[in-house]
Amino acid sequence: MGPGLRRGSVEEKRAQGGSRWPASILGLALGLIPFARPGDVIIGAIIGAFAIVALIRARDGRAALYAAAGFILSFAVLATLFVAIYGLRPSPYMLYSAQYGFNFAWLGWKAYVLLVEPRAWFGEGVGLLDAAPWLLLGGAGMLVAWWTPPARRPVTLAVAAAGAVYVILMLAYVDLLPTGLWRFNNVHYFKWVLPLFGLFAVRFVLDAWRRPVTLVALLPILLALTIRIDPVPVGAHQPARMVVFPAPVGAAWTPTYFATAWLTDARGEQRNSFDYHQILVGNRVRAVALRRPFAGDERWIGDDHVRAQLEGRDTGGYAPLYLTGPWPKTTIARYGARISFGLPHWFEPRETARH
């Protein structure tokens, strides 16, 4: 064997050996994800799928074994601890989160109120894009990722796909609302995708500097910002996305927001937080639908204590001031969702919509 062939063989072995530690670390990380945050399993699946394809293309069987061993090790250790604590059943956190679930049918509306403009619906707050407008550049950077040079494309697309899918899941998650985004710091739901979008933003700026044609990726992002989804009054029997009730005397924002309340309509019963959310705005309470439209004849039952009174099983316990009756309360306004187009909201006066 000649010197050149021997050198090539040694370099190939070094390259394969150098891929084993990253492969084992990746396997360890993928095994931990289901137990750290169950909803992120889809992210691990995307990364794992790209990794499997890369290992098959590289024909690096040892790296594949290292990755599989790392995954089995971390998954087995965490699964053993999980079963020892909770048994062969979901944890309380999993069960509680499952009650919220996802609503992909209203993904466009959720994206609008979380990212762009929440005030017309929730009476307060700012969109995530107001706080971090550079996210627009990150989104454009993800689009440009499809034109990545072939050598870097698999890694770039794997990261971009994981970030995009995660954002979609979080936007569809029923319990993530503009009111909680800043009041309760639920912006932490995006803790790892914010720096990810930042990296794609930097990459987009560098690519646009070298190739100005790349700026075309901003066009679909800017066009999406011209879409508006605003409340519009609807009739008593039309489907509604938001209904308004008079606020009880002495109502406070936090107790009203978290109250164990119910709302009944022509289709049945809905629970505060899980099916709709109620928000105190001035002397009114807005009930914003989260799963399905309100069907008419809405009646609001304020809390467990109120419900017990209405059902004739009141135990005589103390009723907080914010639950001042009479109950049930009926709607004073109903709103549907209207889609329109116009200049992005940044070009308009900053006035809170009143409903």
Side-chain angles (χ1 to χ4, degrees):
M1 181 182 293
L5 291 177
R6 284 198 300 270
R7 189 183 306 113
S9 177
V10 170
E11 289 177 354
E12 183 178 352
K13 289 181 179 179
R14 285 178 179 174
Q16 289 183 346
S19 68
R20 292 169 192 167
W21 279 113
S24 60
I25 292 171
L26 177 62
L28 286 168
L30 294 179
L32 295 173
I33 287 176
F35 302 96
R37 193 182 182 95
D40 290 357
V41 169
I42 184 65
I43 308 305
I46 292 171
I47 297 172
F50 274 88
I52 290 171
V53 171
L55 290 171
I56 291 174
R57 293 180 64 183
R59 298 181 180 179
D60 192 344
R62 285 189 175 272
L65 289 176
Y66 273 68
F71 176 84
I72 293 171
L73 176 63
S74 61
F75 188 90
V77 170
L78 268 295
T80 301
L81 292 174
F82 184 92
V83 172
I85 297 170
Y86 302 110
L88 295 174
R89 59 183 181 275
S91 69
Y93 172 77
M94 293 178 181
L95 294 172
Y96 185 74
S97 296
Q99 292 185 67
Y100 288 103
F102 302 90
N103 184 0
F104 293 99
W106 289 2
L107 183 61
W109 175 79
K110 276 293 290 296
Y112 179 79
V113 297
L114 280 167
L115 302 179
V116 182
E117 179 52 72
R119 291 169 300 162
W121 293 93
F122 293 86
E124 64 172 53
V126 296
L128 188 56
L129 292 179
D130 274 6
W134 49 265
L135 289 171
L136 298 173
L137 299 178
M142 284 193 170
L143 294 178
V144 174
W146 292 98
W147 291 281
T148 300
R152 293 186 298 168
R153 189 172 297 158
V155 174
T156 303
L157 292 183
V159 174
V165 169
Y166 183 84
V167 169
I168 290 172
L169 287 174
M170 290 300 100
L171 292 178
Y173 186 50
V174 169
D175 193 40
L176 182 58
L177 300 173
T179 38
L181 196 64
W182 306 115
R183 276 184 180 257
F184 309 113
N185 298 315
N186 286 343
V187 69
H188 78 270
Y189 280 39
F190 300 106
K191 56 186 175 293
W192 70 266
V193 290
L194 290 177
L196 176 66
F197 270 73
L199 289 173
F200 273 99
V202 171
R203 174 184 169 145
F204 176 73
V205 171
L206 295 176
D207 285 346
W209 180 264
R210 292 191 295 262
R211 297 181 301 157
V213 69
T214 304
L215 290 170
V216 73
L218 275 174
L219 185 59
I221 306 290
L222 296 176
L223 286 175
L225 290 177
T226 67
I227 301 173
R228 302 181 185 180
I229 307 178
D230 297 315
V232 58
V234 294
H237 301 291
Q238 290 180 284
R241 292 283 190 92
M242 178 172 71
V243 295
V244 182
F245 299 94
V249 175
W253 195 95
T254 299
T256 302
Y257 189 77
F258 289 106
T260 307
W262 288 266
L263 187 155
T264 64
D265 65 6
R267 286 184 58 186
E269 186 176 88
Q270 300 191 61
R271 300 172 297 168
N272 183 42
S273 297
F274 299 102
D275 303 311
Y276 77 96
H277 229 310
Q278 56 194 42
I279 306 104
L280 180 67
V281 182
N283 62 351
R284 296 182 175 184
V285 172
R286 300 182 184 186
V288 181
L290 301 178
R291 293 188 184 279
R292 65 167 177 83
F294 299 119
D297 193 27
E298 293 86 12
R299 298 178 185 275
W300 176 34
I301 302 171
D303 209 318
D304 274 327
H305 185 92
V306 171
R307 188 172 196 174
Q309 287 179 326
L310 293 174
E311 294 177 354
R313 55 180 179 84
D314 182 21
T315 60
Y318 171 71
L321 183 62
Y322 74 88
L323 294 178
T324 302
W327 296 97
K329 296 185 183 296
T330 57
T331 57
I332 55 178
R334 306 178 77 250
Y335 295 89
R338 179 183 62 189
I339 299 176
S340 62
F341 299 88
L343 288 173
H345 74 282
W346 292 303
F347 296 95
E348 297 200 339
R350 303 287 293 182
E351 294 181 0
T352 301
R354 293 180 176 86
H355 296 291

